[in-house]
Amino acid sequence: MADASLPDAASPVRHPDGYYWIAPDGHNEFGPFATAAEALADMNAGGDETPEPGETLQEAEQELGLADWVDADTGELAEATGMRLEDH
């Protein structure tokens, strides 16, 4: 049974300085917003870091400009500018 004293996660919470929305984990509040509608809109907007439905890890890495492969010698992402030549 849900605790009736706690706010509904889908409902904004009113504080003296404005409205806030609560993260699904119940630990973080985001705001203040001037109206409850603005708080709800922000909560439902999602961030730029949210993956698009069906987006693969490779597509997300390409959007961030990460290299396609890991350097076997160093274990780090390969340089995007070209091949690494070793000094002899």
Side-chain angles (χ1 to χ4, degrees), residues 67-88:
D68 289 348
W69 56 277
V70 175
D71 187 319
D73 294 333
T74 65
E76 296 181 5
L77 292 175
E79 295 90 6
T81 59
M83 295 177 49
R84 185 177 63 119
L85 301 175
E86 294 187 25
D87 295 329
H88 285 82

Side-chain angles (χ1 to χ4, degrees), residues 30-59:
F30 300 91
F33 297 92
T35 66
E38 288 177 8
L40 283 173
D42 187 72
M43 179 177 73
N44 294 324
D48 291 339
E49 66 280 352
T50 304
E52 296 174 10
E55 182 177 34
T56 66
L57 177 60
Q58 184 178 14
E59 290 169 339

